[in-house]
Amino acid sequence: EVQLVESGGGLVQPGGSLRLSCSASGFTFSSFAMHWVRQAPGKGLEYLSVISSNGSITYYADSVKGRVTISRDNSKNTLYLQMNSLRAEDTAVYYCVKPWAPKGFSFDYWGQGTLVTVSS
Amino acid sequence: DIVMTQSPLSLPVTPGEPASISCRSSQSLLYSNGYNYLDWYLQKPGKSPQLLIYLGSNRASGVPHRISGSGSGTDFTLKISRVEAEDVGVYYCMQALHTPNTFGQGTRLEIK
């Protein structure tokens, strides 16, 4: 059974940093690109970032480019999202997402999400 | 970025009645391989989104046959032939052809 378990969210002051983690199991993690999607409270879904299966290729949405770094450790089946210079508008639930095909962009599994709150 | 526009944004439906949601994209989602890179997701209250339909018309595992997706190019439709209480939630379309993926605003389906 595929499982994606995010952690690392919490309350952080504006300008602060957080590192989110996503522990994956139930599939060959090292074969799949992985993605992050977020959802602000009461709002819709926003695509953030993707990393290729070997970590060599990354992409970031304009809203987080320069402030966020996606990475992965295939030996630990774990995906990361390092978030710096956090702003109030970064307050959201952050989802780790698996595509249904190794290089695909359709998402068949979503984690339960981890809430990041940016507030003083 | 590709703009995805859903309608309606709110959809009250009587159980047993059909429901339909429209999704339009600002650019064609039809790729040269003949597939439309358009997905539908349902986010039930308090839950993570779940994949319903991928590549425009393919049901994900476990999705009942009363839920179907259709369309091509820039116009797509999600149909539920007979709405049940378990269908309550917010439905999102998402284009998966152009980076970055983009989502529609969401359509909230509620039971009358």
Side-chain angles (χ1 to χ4, degrees), chain B residues 25-95:
Chain B
S25 61
S26 60
Q27 293 184 31
S28 177
L29 303 182
L30 178 61
Y31 192 53
S32 55
N33 59 10
Y35 290 108
N36 285 281
Y37 283 74
L38 186 284
D39 302 335
W40 290 95
Y41 297 85
L42 166 60
Q43 187 172 31
K44 295 184 177 182
K47 301 295 186 181
S48 302
Q50 61 185 89
L51 178 65
L52 294 177
I53 302 288
Y54 62 96
L55 296 177
S57 60
N58 296 276
R59 287 183 204 83
S61 176
V63 174
H65 281 72
R66 57 191 179 79
I67 295 176
S68 63
S70 63
S72 185
T74 61
D75 290 329
F76 299 89
T77 303
L78 180 76
K79 292 184 179 178
I80 306 174
S81 59
R82 297 175 305 279
V83 170
E84 298 183 3
E86 67 178 21
D87 298 329
V88 165
V90 181
Y91 290 78
Y92 294 95
C93 62
M94 185 197 80
Q95 66 85 13

Side-chain angles (χ1 to χ4, degrees), chain A:
Chain A
E1 179 191 5
V2 171
Q3 287 197 333
L4 300 169
V5 180
E6 301 95 336
S7 60
L11 176 63
V12 60
Q13 292 188 340
S17 299
L18 274 180
R19 189 177 81 156
L20 308 183
S21 300
C22 171
S23 178
S25 60
F27 65 103
T28 307
F29 180 75
S30 60
S31 296
F32 283 78
M34 292 294 293
H35 307 252
W36 288 97
V37 173
R38 71 180 179 185
Q39 185 173 35
K43 302 297 184 182
L45 300 167
E46 180 187 14
Y47 182 84
L48 288 184
S49 183
V50 59
I51 186 167
S52 61
S53 57
N54 64 4
S56 63
I57 301 172
T58 59
Y59 167 86
Y60 303 96
D62 287 344
S63 58
V64 296
K65 192 177 298 180
R67 302 188 297 120
V68 161
T69 302
I70 189 172
S71 62
R72 64 192 296 160
D73 186 338
N74 286 342
S75 68
K76 295 182 179 180
N77 287 352
T78 302
L79 176 71
Y80 302 101
L81 191 69
Q82 176 68 44
M83 307 177 66
N84 302 322
S85 302
L86 284 163
R87 308 165 179 167
E89 53 264 37
D90 295 317
T91 295
V93 174
Y94 286 73
Y95 294 104
C96 164
V97 182
K98 170 191 169 295
W100 66 272
K103 295 182 180 180
F105 282 78
S106 295
F107 308 135
D108 61 350
Y109 285 94
W110 298 61
Q112 85 287 351
T114 187
L115 176 62
V116 173
T117 303
V118 183
S119 175
S120 55

